[in-house]
Amino acid sequence: MKLDGRRESNNVEDRRGMSTGVKAGIGGGIGAILVMAVMTLMSGGNLGDVVGNIVQQQLQAQVQEQPTGKTEFTEEEQELADFSKRILAGTEDVWTDQFQQHGLKYEYPTLVLFTGAVQTACGNGSAAMGPFYCSGDQKLYLDLSFFTSMRRQLGIQAKGDLDFAYAYVIAHEVGHHIEYMRGILQKCHQKMAGMSQANANKLSVKLELLADYYAGCWAHYDNQKYQSLTDGDIEEAIDCAEKIGDNYLQEKARGYAQPETFTHGTSEQRMFWFKKGLQTGDWDTTTFAEGDLD
């Protein structure tokens, strides 16, 4: 992916090197929520937002972050941080243009870089959850170790240095912010609160696939604007989408898949919707965003 000369976003909070401590007294419901979050975000994304809002007030009152002193970062980690800032800036440029063309104003999300654990408006997050978006504060949370473990643990074999696969991960979380901006996320969260777990999972899958679709739309316009894609980039992202499908991860972990527990979609679904967004760029369509989310 070509990023030479591209600006870095200023909408970044660098909390790396800060420790997060949780005071005693948190109720037993937190454990269940964290289990749900880990299970979901093993598939690549974001249930911390979906379930975290339920306990926002409880956790916000009991989680503290404290600096641990000056932290030295490896050259690789700093390169990943700079890369992430450039990708975020690219999403800002694309979505600002797209929203303006439809008479709308795009509000920038903030990218929070953290190490290990982090306090959010949606509760206490951890690196084990993977990257996630919190609608409570409109922030994307990313522990950069996810990128290095993505290759090692998921066994991704792709051309290049996986830069576009990493960009896809960030663009997917920004996709949840687009859902929030359009009111889709709030609508679905309200519905999920009154559903059985199985039906809530189905709706969660649709939200994740829509975020994949928006990520593809971003790539469509970023390439149109900056000629940023190079040979092998698309294959990188598609390979990444395949490796974080619920069926792929469950089969790898336990030898079989349980469709009723899927929260992010199958590999085939994730690849399909990312590619469709990349090909069309038709992010303002209401067919998927509204009809398919009922």
Side-chain angles (χ1 to χ4, degrees):
M1 188 175 187
K2 294 186 295 186
L3 295 174
D4 293 344
R6 299 277 291 270
R7 72 178 182 88
E8 295 182 0
S9 173
N10 293 320
N11 298 300
V12 178
E13 293 180 17
D14 195 340
R15 303 188 198 174
R16 293 176 295 167
M18 301 180 74
S19 64
T20 300
V22 182
K23 295 181 180 179
I26 294 180
I30 302 303
I33 288 172
L34 289 179
V35 169
M36 292 172 64
V38 169
M39 180 177 68
T40 296
L41 291 160
M42 278 177 62
S43 304
N46 144 288
L47 192 61
D49 170 44
V50 176
V51 298
N53 282 325
I54 301 173
V55 292
Q56 175 178 345
Q57 297 300 322
Q58 184 182 20
L59 283 171
Q60 273 191 297
Q62 300 182 64
V63 180
Q64 294 180 321
E65 287 182 343
Q66 297 179 344
T68 58
K70 186 176 180 180
T71 303
E72 297 294 335
F73 303 113
T74 65
E75 181 179 352
E76 178 186 14
E77 183 172 3
Q78 197 54 50
E79 287 177 353
L80 287 172
D82 294 342
F83 170 85
S84 299
K85 294 174 185 178
R86 291 192 180 98
I87 296 301
L88 183 64
T91 66
E92 293 169 349
D93 295 343
V94 165
W95 290 117
T96 295
D97 288 347
Q98 289 301 308
F99 270 55
Q100 285 179 346
Q101 290 178 26
H102 292 80
L104 303 170
K105 181 181 179 181
Y106 180 61
E107 298 176 4
Y108 296 166
T110 297
L111 172 64
V112 178
L113 301 176
F114 72 96
T115 304
V118 67
Q119 176 186 356
T120 84
C122 298
N124 193 36
S126 73
M129 294 166 61
F132 61 95
Y133 173 74
C134 173
S135 61
D137 52 22
Q138 293 89 64
K139 294 180 179 180
L140 293 66
Y141 291 86
L142 172 63
D143 185 319
L144 293 170
S145 65
F146 177 81
F147 289 146
T148 54
S149 66
M150 190 169 78
R151 181 193 293 275
R152 183 176 65 252
Q153 295 180 7
L154 298 183
I156 294 175
Q157 300 296 324
K159 298 177 182 178
D161 297 323
L162 290 183
D163 50 357
F164 189 57
Y166 299 156
Y168 155 68
V169 170
I170 296 172
H172 171 93
E173 299 308 330
V174 173
H176 287 303
H177 182 63
I178 303 302
E179 293 173 347
Y180 174 80
M181 292 285 295
R182 301 189 71 186
I184 296 168
L185 204 58
Q186 301 90 311
K187 176 182 175 182
C188 289
H189 286 182
Q190 291 174 355
K191 288 185 176 182
M192 292 170 77
M195 289 180 170
S196 66
Q197 188 61 58
N199 286 332
N201 286 345
K202 291 179 181 178
L203 195 51
S204 175
V205 166
K206 292 179 179 180
L207 282 171
E208 298 302 327
L209 296 180
L210 181 56
D212 283 333
Y213 179 73
Y214 286 151
C217 290
W218 162 74
H220 174 94
Y221 290 109
D222 191 84
N223 187 52
Q224 193 176 87
K225 188 179 182 72
Y226 296 110
Q227 294 77 52
S228 54
L229 299 186
T230 60
D231 291 343
D233 280 343
I234 295 175
E235 288 81 358
E236 287 181 13
I238 291 175
D239 191 41
C240 178
E242 178 185 9
K243 295 299 195 302
I244 58 178
D246 286 320
N247 59 320
Y248 181 94
L249 288 170
Q250 288 188 5
E251 288 168 1
K252 184 176 181 180
R254 62 182 72 154
Y256 62 93
Q258 293 180 292
E260 69 276 9
T261 66
F262 290 175
T263 54
H264 282 64
T266 66
S267 297
E268 183 179 4
Q269 289 173 321
R270 301 201 70 170
M271 289 187 291
F272 174 84
W273 285 107
F274 172 77
K275 288 169 65 177
K276 189 173 182 66
L278 178 63
Q279 291 165 356
T280 68
D282 187 16
W283 70 274
D284 199 40
T285 180
T286 58
T287 301
F288 185 70
E290 295 179 4
D292 283 9
L293 287 172
D294 290 334

